[in-house]
């Protein structure tokens, strides 16, 4: 009876989610922002700068193949970053530290299943949002912690969707609130990047170096914003997973980070 009573007293806390996430970012800033920059922001920035410098030197077909291949590589590297960021957040949640190399190793281990997860989720959400938006929102709320579920519970791609749906059931208004806050922060960040870029370079047509200079500086600032948003989103998603797991399964006797040993 005591265990049932303690379970019923547990509440899912949005405050704990954000506190845990930002505490992890603060304690592991070099590792987490380093991973986000190296494997998520930098490839996109290099691609954008390469496209600017390339100019009309190749035919459209060749350009399309090269750009498509580079975007695919960038997407794969972003999934690697997700796996590494999950591990860093979990380690801090267990009051442990983990190095950059160990986080990258985790990302490499789960890069392929995370890639498959990202493709399936992206396609499903695209269809969901195409049908009057609401189905896409409902899918997002159900699958909000699919990425950390795959890495931590090792459920496999489709098992991660089911595990996430189970964990978020009964707390989806809270998940919606967290997602809304993240969306607002993201657009504030994007707007800030745009304002700073225009303030420094002027509008593209009037920029001192013209459109190329505007795009170059925009790519640099975008890399910084991508680094920040990638690390923050991964930390919040993983923190949300921990909160929901404690809420549904009860506090874990064994530390979650032990699964990576």
């Amino acid at each position: 009876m005591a265990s049932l009573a303690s379970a019923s007293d547990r509440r899912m806390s949005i405050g704990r989610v954000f506190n845990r996430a930002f505490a992890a970012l603060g304690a592991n800033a070099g590792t987490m922002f380093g991973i986000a920059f190296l494997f998520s922001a930098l490839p996109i920035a290099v691609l954008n700068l390469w496209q600017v410098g390339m100019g009309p030197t190749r035919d459209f077909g060749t350009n399309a193949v090269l750009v498509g291949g580079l975007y695919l590589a960038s997407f794969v590297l972003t999934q690697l970053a997700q796996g590494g960021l999950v591990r860093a957040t979990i380690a801090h949640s267990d009051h442990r530290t983990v190095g950059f190399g160990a986080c990258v190793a985790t990302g490499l281990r789960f890069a392929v299943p995370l890639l498959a997860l990202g493709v399936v989720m992206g396609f499903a959400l695209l269809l969901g949002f195409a049908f009057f938006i609401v189905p896409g929102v409902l899918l997002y709320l159900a699958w909000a912690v699919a990425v950390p579920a795959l890495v931590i519970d090792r459920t496999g791609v489709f098992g991660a969707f089911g595990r996430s749906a189970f964990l978020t059931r009964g707390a989806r208004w809270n998940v919606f609130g967290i997602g809304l806050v993240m969306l607002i922060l993201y657009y504030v960040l994007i707007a800030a990047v745009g304002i700073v870029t225009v303030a420094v370079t002027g509008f593209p047509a009037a920029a001192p170096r013209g459109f190329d200079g505007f795009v170059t500086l925009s790519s640099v600032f975008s890399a910084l914003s991508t680094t920040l948003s990638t690390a923050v989103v991964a930390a919040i998603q993983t923190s949300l997973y921990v909160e929901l797991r404690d809420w549904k399964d009860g506090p874990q006797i064994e530390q979650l980070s032990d699964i990576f040993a």
Side-chain angles (χ1 to χ4, degrees):
M1 294 294 293
S3 61
L4 291 176
S6 63
S8 65
D9 288 340
R10 286 192 300 271
R11 294 291 183 269
M12 189 269 175
S13 170
I14 293 178
R16 277 197 302 267
V17 170
F18 283 105
N19 286 340
R20 184 185 295 112
F22 286 104
L25 288 165
N28 301 292
T31 294
M32 297 185 72
F33 289 116
I35 288 173
F37 174 74
L38 187 61
F39 296 105
S40 183
L42 184 60
I44 296 174
V46 170
L47 174 59
N48 290 337
L49 293 173
W50 175 76
Q51 287 181 281
V52 171
M54 182 179 60
T57 57
R58 299 179 185 272
D59 61 84
F60 176 80
T62 302
N63 287 346
V65 171
L66 288 173
V67 171
L70 289 171
Y71 270 115
L72 177 60
S74 175
F75 183 61
V76 172
L77 290 173
T78 297
Q79 306 316 304
L80 186 157
Q82 294 292 317
L85 292 169
V86 167
R87 178 165 189 184
T89 307
I90 287 295
H92 183 266
S93 180
D94 284 343
H95 308 290
R96 296 183 177 183
T97 58
V98 62
F100 184 90
C103 290
V104 172
T106 298
L108 286 169
R109 187 188 315 165
F110 290 96
V112 173
L114 284 172
L115 174 63
L117 181 76
V119 170
V120 174
M121 183 184 295
F123 183 70
L125 290 177
L126 182 63
L127 288 179
F129 282 111
F131 287 99
F132 307 106
I133 299 177
V134 174
V137 173
L138 295 178
L139 286 177
Y140 169 78
L141 295 178
W143 296 345
V145 294
V147 169
L150 186 151
V151 175
I152 299 166
D153 293 324
R154 305 188 182 190
T155 57
V157 173
F158 293 102
F161 293 122
R163 175 63 170 162
S164 180
F166 166 75
L167 290 174
T168 57
R169 190 175 297 120
R172 288 179 187 163
W173 278 113
N174 289 335
V175 176
F176 178 80
I178 291 171
L180 186 60
V181 171
M182 291 167 60
L183 186 64
I184 292 172
L185 291 176
Y186 175 76
Y187 280 111
V188 168
L189 180 63
I190 293 301
V193 168
I195 291 171
V196 171
T197 303
V198 171
V200 173
T201 66
F203 287 99
R209 292 180 56 197
F211 181 75
D212 287 357
F214 179 88
V215 173
T216 298
L217 187 60
S218 178
S219 296
V220 172
F221 285 138
S222 293
L224 297 177
S225 66
T226 299
T227 299
L228 182 62
S229 60
T230 299
V232 169
V233 168
I236 291 175
Q237 284 181 334
T238 307
S239 179
L240 175 60
Y241 163 87
V242 173
E243 184 69 19
L244 291 172
R245 178 167 170 156
D246 286 350
W247 178 55
K248 283 291 181 75
D249 299 343
Q252 304 300 300
I253 297 175
E254 296 182 357
Q255 293 182 313
L256 287 175
S257 56
D258 286 340
I259 66 172
F260 299 110

